[in-house]
């Protein structure tokens, strides 16, 4: 239950505006595919590896299809046609194309039904693998997940995956619950995914499938050693957003940074490219049971955290709506925000706490990700350590889920192991010492915190309604988010946006959405959450049983009939309609 009194009619208006904003870009999302989406389809069909020049096979094949002008049919259609005519698997066809033994433009179009029958087993095999990795995670969570929120989130960023492993294990042994491996600077601008393990990177380590596998294995080892599950995070953004999502799904990553607008605002990636890519990438994350993290905290690095707090909330509403349309559950949508106000302002902590409580009240089911102070870290490690402590206190009081702990040497150098140890010690001390403090606190009705939270909500609602009126692309071009202006026709990657043709074929959205749309789909993400759900279900069953055994005079047997009808729908495989779902858009 919320401790801060908000005008919930404004929340409903904000969500209604966010739906209108999403509706405005939906036609373009449905009408387009991209080079990275088609490369992702190939990866999901089991096509991986590099050619003799070190170019990833998905890039080789998609570039050939785009040059031939046939990518709008969907690469799955042409791979399937080759499978039908050549009697070979998708991987065998891919290797022949890479060697030059087979040219896509020379493949005779096969019957659509035959293509689908050829592709179906390959697609089903990968979906079964991803689902198996999801269930594997759920078993480990049930066995080992002993942590309580806020979960302590730590970053490693050496450039060498093997050194990252050393630092990640050390952080876990110090008390970290979540390890994020920062990507090498500007990898988001590469229109391909590097191949194999990497030992050189600037400001971070390349996101590759091999690196994911190495770190996942290392964290599983330390999880068993410590008796608690350590989660792995990477970055699913940029020009290869859905490809990295697919790799993470295959290697059982637990979280992905996956924002709908970050690449546009902070990497100058084309709007159309980003909006189309985010849909398929989030669909993959949803199916894999991955928790996404959005990047609203970055807004406050370019804009004032007090004056522009409403832009963070507005973006959270938009990210939430776009994520829901991709099949993500609210429990998988880790909306981001940050503790970034000027530490010298009077009552700064009050305003930070108001913002954190407001976010928790508006998004009660979301695993909110709370980011530490960085903008005003000056190199004074003593003041910085105190600022991080205040941030940790706000996090535990307001019930944040994911707490990226701040490090006292921020803005001086890449943290040493001992710096990270002190940061984790700071967080553990406060989160334990103030564990249930939030339960004892109520905020004064009509007080400054309530006023501030409603002021931010009012501004965010007005902003969303304005964006809904002019369109999201126009709003971004005017600099309404983070004070950054982008041209809808500019940015990187527009040449990779392809209009779908009639009959476009991608087998995976339909497969994913069939399960994601089912009420039975409920991935286990946190043990605490699973226990709470089990308790709630038990209470519901008890209440239902009591109603059935002793119906009131006006109840008759309606509850029993409703449950029976629901059971018939489940048995028949009928699925409820999901607004904005991809099942009918063929992508």
């Amino acid at each position: 239950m919320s401790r801060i009194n908000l005008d919930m009619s404004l929340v409903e208006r904000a969500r209604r505006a966010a739906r209108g904003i999403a509706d405005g870009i939906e036609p373009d999302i449905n009408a387009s595919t991209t080079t990275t989406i088609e490369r992702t389809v190939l990866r999901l069909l089991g096509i991986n590896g590099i050619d003799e020049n070190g170019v990833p096979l998905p890039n080789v094949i998609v570039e050939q299809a785009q040059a031939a002008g046939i990518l709008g049919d969907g690469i799955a259609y042409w791979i399937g046609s080759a499978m039908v005519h050549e009697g070979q698997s998708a991987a065998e066809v891919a290797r022949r194309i890479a060697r030059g033994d087979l040219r896509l433009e020379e493949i005779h179009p096969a019957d659509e039904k035959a293509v689908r029958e050829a592709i179906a087993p390959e697609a089903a095999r990968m979906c079964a693998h991803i689902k198996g990795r999801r269930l594997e995670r759920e078993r480990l969570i049930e066995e080992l997940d002993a942590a309580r929120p806020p979960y302590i989130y730590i970053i490693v960023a050496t450039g060498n995956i093997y050194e990252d492993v050393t630092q990640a294990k050390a952080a876990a042994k110090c008390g970290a619950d979540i390890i994020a491996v920062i990507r090498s600077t500007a990898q988001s601008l590469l229109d391909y995914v590097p191949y194999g393990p990497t030992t050189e990177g600037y400001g971070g380590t390349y996101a590759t499938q091999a690196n994911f596998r190495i770190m996942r294995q290392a964290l599983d080892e330390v999880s068993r050693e410590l008796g608690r599950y350590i989660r792995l995070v990477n970055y699913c953004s940029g020009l290869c957003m859905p490809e990295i999502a697919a790799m993470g799904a295959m290697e059982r990553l637990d979280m992905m940074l996956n924002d709908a607008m970050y690449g546009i605002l902070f990497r100058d990636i084309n709007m159309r490219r980003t909006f189309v890519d985010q849909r398929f990438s989030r669909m993959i994350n949803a199916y894999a049971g991955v928790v996404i993290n959005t990047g609203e905290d970055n807004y406050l690095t370019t804009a004032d955290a007090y004056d522009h707090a409403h832009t963070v909330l507005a973006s959270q509403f938009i990210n939430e709506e776009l994520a829901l349309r991709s099949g993500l559950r609210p429990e998988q949508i880790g909306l981001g925000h940050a503790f970034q106000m000027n530490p010298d302002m009077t009552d700064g902590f009050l305003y930070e706490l108001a913002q954190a409580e407001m976010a928790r009240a508006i998004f009660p089911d979301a695993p909110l990700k709370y980011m530490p102070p960085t903008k005003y870290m000056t190199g004074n490690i003593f003041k910085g350590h105190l600022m991080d402590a205040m941030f940790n206190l706000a996090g535990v009081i307001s019930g944040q889920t994911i707490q990226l702990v701040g490090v006292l040497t921020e803005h001086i150098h890449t943290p040493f192991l001992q710096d990270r140890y002190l940061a984790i010690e700071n967080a553990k001390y406060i989160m334990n010492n103030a564990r249930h403090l939030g339960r004892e606190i109520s905020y004064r009705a009509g007080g400054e915190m309530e006023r501030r939270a409603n002021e931010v909500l009012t501004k965010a609602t007005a902003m969303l309604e304005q964006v809904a009126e002019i369109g999201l692309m126009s709003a971004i071009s005017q600099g309404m988010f983070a004070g950054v202006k982008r041209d809808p026709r500019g940015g990187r990657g527009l040449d990779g946006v392809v209009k779908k043709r009639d009959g476009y074929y991608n087998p995976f959205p339909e497969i994913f959405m069939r399960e994601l749309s089912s009420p039975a789909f409920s991935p286990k993400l946190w043990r605490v959450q699973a226990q709470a759900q089990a308790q709630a279900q038990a209470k519901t069953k008890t209440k239902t049983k009591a109603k059935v055994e002793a119906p009131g005079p006006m109840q008759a047997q309606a509850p029993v009939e409703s449950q029976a009808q629901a059971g018939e729908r489940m048995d028949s495989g009928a699925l409820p309609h999901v607004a904005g779902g991809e099942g009918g858009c063929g992508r």
Side-chain angles (χ1 to χ4, degrees), residues 29 33-38 191 238-242 258 269 271-283 493 496-497 587:
I29 292 174
T33 185
T34 70
T35 48
T36 186
I37 286 175
E38 300 307 315
D191 211 350
L239 290 171
C240 296
M241 196 184 295
N258 194 197
I269 295 173
M271 294 183 202
R272 291 184 60 210
R273 172 71 175 262
T274 301
F275 290 138
V276 175
D277 286 346
Q278 63 85 28
R279 173 62 59 82
F280 193 42
S281 69
R282 288 175 163 194
M283 198 180 295
V497 179
R587 188 170 62 72

Side-chain angles (χ1 to χ4, degrees), residues 338-387:
F339 189 100
Q340 289 283 32
M341 292 185 196
N342 188 331
D344 296 329
M345 73 182 297
T346 301
D347 285 331
F349 182 76
L350 180 151
Y351 298 128
E352 293 281 17
L353 188 57
Q355 189 88 5
E357 290 279 14
M358 177 196 68
R360 174 45 71 209
I362 293 172
F363 307 103
D365 297 322
L368 296 177
K369 181 184 177 185
Y370 203 22
M371 300 291 284
T374 57
K375 187 174 183 177
Y376 292 98
M377 296 293 269
T378 63
N380 179 340
I381 61 172
F382 304 105
K383 183 175 182 178
H385 209 42
L386 285 172
M387 289 164 62

